[in-house]
């Protein structure tokens, strides 16, 4: 027997809708990668905290450096683009 899942979506009938923006805060180029978007959007904020993990806060600069190190390691293991 197939289980039916019900999801509620925000509609104009819901009172909390008045707290949502109609337009995005920033327009982001959808053709760029997530890495490029994070880097471009935070180019002037590289020393700000981006994420926290295991009681350590990473700045955008540290996070991108770790992503670069991971990419190099994966490439050395033979992982290719689009794998």
């Amino acid at each position: 027997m197939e289980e039916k899942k019900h999801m509620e979506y925000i509609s104009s009938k819901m009172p909390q809708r008045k707290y949502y923006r109609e337009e995005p805060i920033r327009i982001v180029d959808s053709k760029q990668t997530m890495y490029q978007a994070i880097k471009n959007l935070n180019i002037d904020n590289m020393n700000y905290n981006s994420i926290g993990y295991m009681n350590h806060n990473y700045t955008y600069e540290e996070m991108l450096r770790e992503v670069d190190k991971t990419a190099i390691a994966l490439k050395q293991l033979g992982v290719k683009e689009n794998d």
Side-chain angles (χ1 to χ4, degrees):
M1 186 163 115
E2 186 177 319
E3 182 180 321
K4 292 183 180 181
K5 294 183 180 180
H6 298 282
M7 295 182 71
E8 290 187 29
Y9 295 95
I10 297 170
S11 75
S12 58
K13 295 178 184 176
M14 300 175 104
Q16 67 269 30
R17 178 80 174 135
K18 66 182 176 186
Y19 298 107
Y20 289 88
R21 296 178 186 268
E22 292 298 323
E23 297 295 323
I25 295 171
R26 295 184 209 164
I27 303 295
V28 178
D29 179 9
S30 62
K31 291 185 173 84
Q32 61 188 348
T33 64
M34 183 61 78
Y35 179 94
Q36 292 167 331
I38 290 171
K39 188 172 184 177
N40 292 339
L41 289 170
N42 295 289
I43 198 75
D44 296 326
N45 306 318
M46 294 304 254
N47 291 322
Y48 288 21
N49 286 338
S50 62
I51 58 172
Y53 180 73
M54 302 289 288
N55 293 327
H56 180 78
N57 291 319
Y58 289 87
T59 63
Y60 285 101
E61 183 177 9
E62 291 171 324
M63 181 186 66
L64 293 174
R65 191 176 322 121
E66 292 298 319
V67 169
D68 291 338
K69 287 183 348 187
T70 302
I72 290 168
L74 290 171
K75 188 173 184 178
Q76 290 173 346
L77 291 171
V79 176
K80 295 179 181 63
E81 190 173 338
N82 297 321
D83 279 356

